[in-house]
């Protein structure tokens, strides 16, 4: 049987008295809460309401510029006649004149394209542009009124790549490096209404910033009822004759006062260095340089260097003067190159095999000059005379050398096959560099250079050298 707790029942008078006492207690507490002597209870936080002004004004919010959206290209009606001033044959001949016959050039297609069907690149501002690498630089051309011309001539061409074996080997030796791409296809756009070049681009790689992939692919020629119009008088027509380049002001170097040095009077301390690199009077070398500039245009030049004098500075140094003759044989080349010119160049050769300009910087000694310090260090690693010229085919610009590898290699050029050659890099940062190869008893046989203008390969094609001989007094 369940059990329940027993609560005693209170009499009625006692319950009434308890009720009166409870009411009095509640009144007292209420009076205390209203008193100023107690700390007020904090109120919950709330967002303050805006105070209305007498004449409320609306604050304008900045209008967000919508991101440009890709617009679909209009449909081109081949039946609509388009006026042109440049024939397909003229465009073909112009591009053909840029290509080196020695690298298997081929015109893939030449056709008229409605300007509305060309998808140029766009800046974030919406301005349209076309890349133009004809001058070797990454230039852009802005169409007039931000629109392509009514009619465009498109030329697609191909060619065999420029082989740069030294550059490729250096990339392998260092486990990666500047990288070397070999463009094979190019696309050129002309304004068909004037004949002016709109752009010239390599279609291999980097298509997202160079040319639309659909435009890069060769297509079947589209036939238009083209009405030829005379070209305007202000049109920039490209000339197959290269523009003469300004030559630099020749720096006159006083003839050194030391004794002359010839093959039979080489100072003993310099005999080994001048045997490996025979910079002796009468010796001569001829190189041929081939350049592929901007992935769209070729040029070829020839340089001959002849030693015209050598003078002893002290027991471990000689000064050497050479006569350099450069001749542009094909195409045109990038600005500021000293082609089709003659100049006298000077070198300092040390007994250790370090070769640098002569005279050195004024007011400095060999130990104080940072370039000389680095050259002396790297020549010990290479164990062959080191001459840190960046672009010998164009000018005598000296830079920092780095002997990446001590592995000896064989080099083949039109002048022959050379063994036991050393190779090193001439550094110019991320924008350019050169790789050079020197072979004992011959000298420099190849230089592969790359820069923002393109790639140049310089190979020895002929040479005439005499090595140091023992003086007649000590011959047996």
């Amino acid at each position: 049987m369940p059990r329940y707790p027993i609560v005693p029942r209170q009499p009625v008078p006692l319950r009434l008295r308890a009720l009166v006492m409870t009411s009095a207690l509640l009144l007292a507490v209420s009076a205390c809460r209203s008193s100023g002597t107690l700390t007020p209870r904090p109120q919950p936080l709330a967002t303050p309401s805006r105070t209305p002004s007498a004449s409320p004004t609306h604050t304008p919010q900045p209008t967000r510029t919508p991101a440009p959206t890709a617009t679909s290209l209009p449909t081109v009606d081949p039946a609509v006649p388009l006026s042109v001033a440049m024939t397909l044959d003229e465009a073909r001949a112009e591009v053909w004149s840029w290509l080196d016959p020695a690298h298997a050039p081929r015109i893939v297609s030449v056709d008229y394209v409605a300007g509305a069907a060309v998808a140029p690149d766009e800046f974030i501002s919406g301005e349209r542009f076309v890349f133009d690498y004809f001058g070797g630089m990454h230039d852009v051309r802005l169409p007039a009124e931000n629109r392509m011309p009514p009619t465009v001539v498109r030329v697609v061409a191909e060619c065999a790549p420029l082989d740069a074996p030294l550059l490729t080997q250096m990339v392998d030796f260092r486990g990666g490096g500047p990288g070397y791409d070999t463009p094979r296809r190019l696309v050129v756009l002309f304004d068909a209404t004037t004949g002016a070049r709109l752009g010239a681009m390599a279609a291999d790689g980097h298509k997202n910033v160079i040319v639309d992939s659909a435009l890069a692919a060769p297509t079947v020629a589209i036939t238009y009822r083209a009405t030829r119009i005379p070209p305007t008088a202000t049109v920039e027509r490209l000339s197959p004759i290269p523009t003469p380049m300004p030559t630099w002001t020749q720096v006159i170097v006083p003839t050194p006062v030391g004794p002359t040095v010839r093959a039979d009077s080489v100072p003993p301390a310099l005999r080994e260095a001048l045997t490996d690199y025979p910079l002796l009077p009468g010796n001569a070398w001829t190189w041929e340089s081939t350049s592929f500039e901007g992935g769209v245009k070729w040029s070829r030049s020839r340089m001959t260097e002849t030693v015209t004098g050598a003078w002893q500075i002290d027991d471990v140094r000689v000064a050497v003067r050479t006569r350099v003759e450069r001749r542009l044989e094909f195409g045109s080349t990038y600005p500021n190159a000293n082609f089709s010119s003659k100049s006298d160049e000077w070198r300092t050769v040390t007994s250790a095999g370090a070769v640098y300009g002569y005279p050195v910087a004024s007011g400095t000694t060999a130990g104080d000059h940072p370039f000389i310090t680095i050259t002396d260090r790297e020549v010990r690693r290479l164990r062959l005379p080191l001459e840190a010229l960046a672009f010998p085919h164009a000018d005598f610009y000296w830079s920092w050398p780095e002997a990446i590898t001590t592995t000896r290699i064989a080099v083949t050029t039109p002048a022959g096959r050379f063994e036991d050659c050393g190779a090193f890099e001439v550094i110019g940062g991320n924008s350019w560099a050169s790789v050079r190869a020197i072979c004992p008893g011959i000298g420099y046989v190849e230089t592969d250079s790359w820069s923002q203008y393109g790639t140049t390969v310089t190979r020895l094609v002929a040479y005439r050298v005499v090595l140091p001989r023992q003086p007649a007094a000590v011959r047996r």
Side-chain angles (χ1 to χ4, degrees):
M1 177 173 193
R3 296 180 180 181
Y4 298 94
I6 298 175
V7 179
R9 190 178 182 85
Q10 296 179 347
V12 174
L14 292 176
R15 285 188 288 158
L16 291 175
R17 188 172 61 182
L19 179 60
V20 173
M21 294 178 65
T22 302
S23 299
L25 180 62
L26 290 176
L27 290 173
V29 172
S30 177
C32 291
R33 286 182 175 177
S34 61
S35 174
T37 58
L38 294 179
T39 303
R41 177 181 295 178
Q43 298 298 317
L45 297 176
T47 303
S49 59
R50 179 178 300 174
T51 303
S53 59
S55 56
T57 57
H58 176 69
T59 302
Q61 300 295 324
T63 304
R64 296 185 61 185
T65 302
T69 57
T71 57
S72 58
L73 296 176
T75 303
V76 178
D77 184 4
V80 177
L82 298 174
S83 59
V84 299
M86 186 182 210
T87 67
L88 298 182
D89 287 341
E90 287 177 326
R92 179 194 300 270
E94 180 64 38
V95 175
W96 185 260
S97 70
W98 305 350
L99 307 178
D100 187 358
H103 286 81
R106 183 171 75 94
I107 302 295
V108 177
S109 65
V110 185
D111 52 13
Y112 288 116
V113 179
V118 178
D121 289 277
E122 290 187 11
F123 293 112
I124 193 172
S125 61
E127 282 186 296
R128 296 182 174 184
F129 66 91
V130 181
F131 281 97
D132 185 23
Y133 291 179
F134 180 82
M137 298 292 289
H138 296 183
D139 292 334
V140 296
R141 290 179 179 255
L142 304 177
E145 300 179 356
N146 205 32
R147 293 185 300 177
M148 296 296 289
T151 319
V152 172
V153 182
R154 176 181 61 180
V155 183
V156 181
E158 290 181 343
C159 54
L162 177 60
D163 183 28
L166 280 184
L167 183 56
T168 301
Q169 287 188 68
M170 286 296 104
V171 171
D172 294 339
F173 279 134
R174 71 188 309 169
Y180 178 59
D181 53 1
T182 55
R184 299 168 181 264
R185 176 171 293 180
L186 58 136
V187 178
V188 186
L189 303 178
F190 296 97
D191 183 345
T193 62
T194 63
R197 185 182 70 252
L198 291 175
M201 301 147 282
D204 305 78
H206 310 291
K207 292 181 180 178
N208 59 325
V209 296
I210 291 183
V211 67
D212 180 78
S213 58
L215 184 63
T219 62
V220 178
I222 304 174
T223 303
Y224 288 90
R225 296 204 306 271
T227 304
R228 181 170 173 78
I229 60 176
T232 61
T234 58
V235 171
E236 174 196 355
R237 299 309 295 267
L238 304 175
S239 173
I241 302 175
T243 303
M245 296 296 175
T247 59
W248 63 45
T249 302
Q250 181 65 49
V251 177
I252 305 300
V253 178
T255 302
V257 297
T260 59
V261 175
R262 298 187 175 277
D264 55 1
S265 61
V266 175
L270 284 144
R271 187 175 301 279
E272 181 178 357
L274 291 177
T275 298
D276 288 336
Y277 188 12
L279 286 169
L280 296 171
N283 291 352
W285 302 261
T286 298
W287 297 271
E288 186 175 81
S289 298
T290 302
S291 301
F292 193 24
E293 299 161 13
V296 298
K297 181 169 62 73
W298 294 81
S299 65
R300 191 168 57 248
S301 61
R302 183 171 288 246
M303 179 181 76
T304 297
E305 185 170 16
T306 305
V307 180
T308 57
W311 294 265
Q312 184 173 350
I313 302 174
D314 51 37
D315 291 342
V316 294
R317 292 183 302 164
V318 296
V320 178
R321 183 187 63 198
T322 63
R323 185 69 166 172
V324 178
E325 300 183 23
R326 297 182 177 91
R327 183 177 72 253
L328 187 64
E329 295 189 324
F330 170 80
S332 59
T333 189
Y334 56 78
N336 302 322
N338 193 25
F339 282 91
S340 301
S341 65
K342 298 180 181 181
S343 62
D344 288 332
E345 304 296 343
W346 290 82
R347 293 174 174 86
T348 299
V349 183
T350 72
S351 58
V355 184
Y356 35 79
Y358 174 87
V360 191
S362 60
T364 61
T365 62
D368 296 332
H369 199 285
F371 173 75
I372 296 177
T373 301
I374 293 177
T375 302
D376 290 341
R377 181 192 67 197
E378 295 302 307
V379 76
R380 289 193 295 270
R381 297 178 58 190
L382 186 66
R383 293 179 290 113
L384 281 171
L386 189 153
E387 176 184 271
L389 288 175
F391 306 106
H393 69 285
D395 55 42
F396 268 57
Y397 179 79
W398 303 82
S399 189
W400 313 106
E402 180 181 357
I404 299 172
T405 177
T406 57
T407 302
R408 296 299 178 91
I409 61 175
V411 182
T412 300
T413 76
R417 179 179 174 83
F418 307 99
E419 305 286 346
D420 197 32
C421 304
F424 63 94
E425 186 175 31
V426 183
I427 306 169
N430 294 326
S431 61
W432 59 263
S434 291
V435 180
R436 309 200 70 196
I438 180 172
C439 305
I442 304 297
Y444 282 85
V445 299
E446 183 170 339
T447 300
D448 294 355
S449 306
W450 64 272
S451 70
Q452 58 187 348
Y453 299 107
T455 303
T456 299
V457 176
T458 302
R459 293 190 175 104
L460 187 68
V461 296
Y463 62 96
R464 180 185 69 252
V465 299
V466 175
L467 302 181
R469 294 189 293 261
Q470 290 287 345
V474 297
R475 291 178 186 171
R476 295 181 179 179

